[in-house]
Amino acid sequence: MHILLTGGTGLIGRHLCQLWLSQGHRLTVWSREPGQVPKRCGSGVRGIARLEELEPDDPLDAVVNLAGAPIADRPWTAARRQLLWASRVTLTEQLLSWLERREQRPGLLISGSAVGWYGDGGERELTEASQPVKEDFASQLCIAWEETAQRAQTLGMRVVLVRTGLVLASDGGFLSRLRLPFKLGLGGPIGNGRQWMPWVHIEDQIGLIDFLLQHNQASGPYNACAPEPVRNREFARRLGRALHRPALLPLPALVLKAGLGELSTLLLGGQRARPVRLLAEGFTFRFNDLQSALDDLSDRL
Ligand SMILES: NC(=O)c1ccc[n+]([C@@H]2O[C@H](COP(=O)([O-])OP(=O)(O)OC[C@H]3O[C@@H](n4cnc5c(N)ncnc54)[C@H](OP(=O)(O)O)[C@@H]3O)[C@@H](O)[C@H]2O)c1
């Protein structure tokens, strides 16, 4: 297959490229730094700065759309919100209008999203049939991102939306940020620690995207998180155990709200999300429980 990726140089994209290269697929990555693509994604992966660099008669089988500026890195000022929006919604609009103009169209668009689509779900169990519970900026962003991607259906493409939980990996993402405070013994629950955290091991995240690529019947939204979400307090306890450190120091909600503004809703709220559709359609998770996922990664952290 010839697969075009956006965000292919990111955490999920790099792992996907590794898998798909090993399976013999041909990969092109649309990137702001196309020269870095072979180094980051694997030699043989082509980097392009503009979609128009893809020849109109070079057949494309699938597009995987993962680009987006990091959402939890800094407070959501007006400028930051604009960047978060442009790097997902506007970029996806550009992708769609290029696909519209192209005569040869791929059959499939797999587009990124997040469990944050539901907003803070409290104690409610969230399946793909659920509606957004409490809208905040992150859920509005995901809703608009998904709606834009869905328009590819009108071009005759199969559209899959991957509502990803916190991806656990040893080479980037959420765990890399928690590593230092936890190793220093400064880790612990956030706020009251009762919020639900849907998580997914990077190996399963890659496996499920590959499953959705191959599974011709798959379309619409999929919760990409392990079958057993945990509360934040439990997550901190288990990460502490995996790193052989205490994880008792709570991070008070007031401090977070004062320091991060609305971004704190991402950390103080949560989603009790379940991957109902993936399980029903036959995907098997390798890491079902958090401890096994953390133990697998901890010696590489
Ligand atoms: N990792 C998680 O835990 C998680 C959870 C839920 C949802 N997601 C979503 O899934 C997608 C992929 O996740 P990831 O962890 O692989 O992301 P990542 O490592 O942060 O990489 C995202 C990629 O997006 C591109 N990008 C960054 N800033 C951009 C900007 N201002 N404009 C255009 N492109 C920009 C970059 O590609 P270039 O530098 O090559 O342009 C980057 O490699 C993201 O959109 C993320 O929001 C991730």
Side-chain angles (χ1 to χ4, degrees), residues 6-14 29-34 36-37 40-41 65-71 80 83-84 86-88 91 112-116 141-142 145 162-168 172-174 177 200 202 205 224:
T6 80
T9 58
L11 173 67
I12 300 170
R14 289 194 312 269
V29 170
W30 180 26
S31 169
R32 294 165 304 161
E33 293 181 291
Q36 297 295 319
V37 166
R40 292 180 182 156
C41 304
N65 179 35
L66 299 171
I71 194 150
R80 188 72 192 163
L83 181 72
L84 292 168
S87 61
R88 290 183 175 76
L91 184 141
S113 182
V115 286
L141 178 63
C142 287
W145 193 13
V162 188
R163 291 186 184 154
T164 303
L166 289 160
V167 179
L168 305 185
F174 184 66
R177 289 189 195 118
V200 61
I202 185 74
Q205 176 72 7

Side-chain angles (χ1 to χ4, degrees), residues 29-282:
V29 170
W30 180 26
S31 169
R32 294 165 304 161
E33 293 181 291
Q36 297 295 319
V37 166
K39 201 172 92 199
R40 292 180 182 156
C41 304
S43 61
V45 181
R46 177 182 176 197
I48 55 169
R50 293 178 318 110
L51 289 169
E52 288 69 23
E53 289 174 42
L54 269 179
E55 297 74 15
D57 55 355
D58 184 2
L60 199 56
D61 299 290
V63 180
V64 177
N65 179 35
L66 299 171
I71 194 150
D73 271 21
R74 38 192 105 156
W76 295 337
T77 58
R80 188 72 192 163
R81 283 171 203 245
Q82 215 170 22
L83 181 72
L84 292 168
W85 199 273
S87 61
R88 290 183 175 76
V89 183
T90 314
L91 184 141
T92 305
E93 280 166 359
Q94 286 167 3
L95 185 64
L96 264 283
S97 58
W98 173 75
L99 285 166
E100 239 162 38
R101 293 195 302 276
R102 208 176 137 93
E103 244 168 64
Q104 189 280 332
R105 288 199 194 114
L108 168 65
L109 171 64
I110 298 181
S111 198
S113 182
V115 286
W117 185 90
Y118 301 100
D120 177 11
E123 290 301 304
R124 215 171 294 186
E125 189 166 300
L126 300 170
T127 74
E128 294 85 351
S130 308
Q131 290 305 307
V133 180
K134 203 164 145 193
E135 281 191 27
D136 52 23
F137 173 70
S139 63
Q140 286 161 358
L141 178 63
C142 287
I143 290 168
W145 193 13
E146 287 194 9
E147 281 175 359
T148 309
Q150 278 285 17
R151 298 208 314 251
Q153 264 187 326
T154 61
L155 304 176
M157 296 173 68
R158 172 164 75 91
V159 179
V160 171
L161 305 160
V162 188
R163 291 186 184 154
T164 303
L166 289 160
V167 179
L168 305 185
S170 58
D171 56 344
F174 184 66
L175 277 188
S176 310
R177 289 189 195 118
L178 289 184
R179 188 177 61 95
L180 187 62
F182 272 76
K183 283 211 161 168
L184 293 173
L186 301 172
I190 297 174
N192 66 18
R194 288 184 54 76
Q195 65 276 35
W196 287 94
M197 291 178 67
W199 59 272
V200 61
H201 188 291
I202 185 74
E203 201 177 298
D204 282 329
Q205 176 72 7
I206 299 316
L208 69 87
I209 293 177
D210 186 51
F211 173 87
L212 295 166
L213 173 89
Q214 294 183 42
H215 205 61
N216 282 333
Q217 304 304 315
S219 72
Y222 287 83
N223 287 345
C225 50
E228 294 172 25
V230 296
R231 292 187 192 276
N232 172 269
R233 189 192 301 134
E234 178 74 2
F235 187 93
R237 202 170 63 79
R238 290 187 182 273
L239 181 56
R241 187 190 289 175
L243 295 173
H244 310 294
R245 293 287 192 282
L248 300 168
L249 274 183
L251 188 52
L254 270 176
V255 173
L256 269 178
K257 282 182 192 159
L260 300 179
E262 197 188 337
L263 169 55
S264 64
T265 57
L266 216 58
L267 304 169
L268 296 168
Q271 295 82 20
R272 193 178 188 176
R274 294 201 187 273
V276 171
R277 294 196 64 208
L278 277 167
L279 292 175
E281 293 173 28

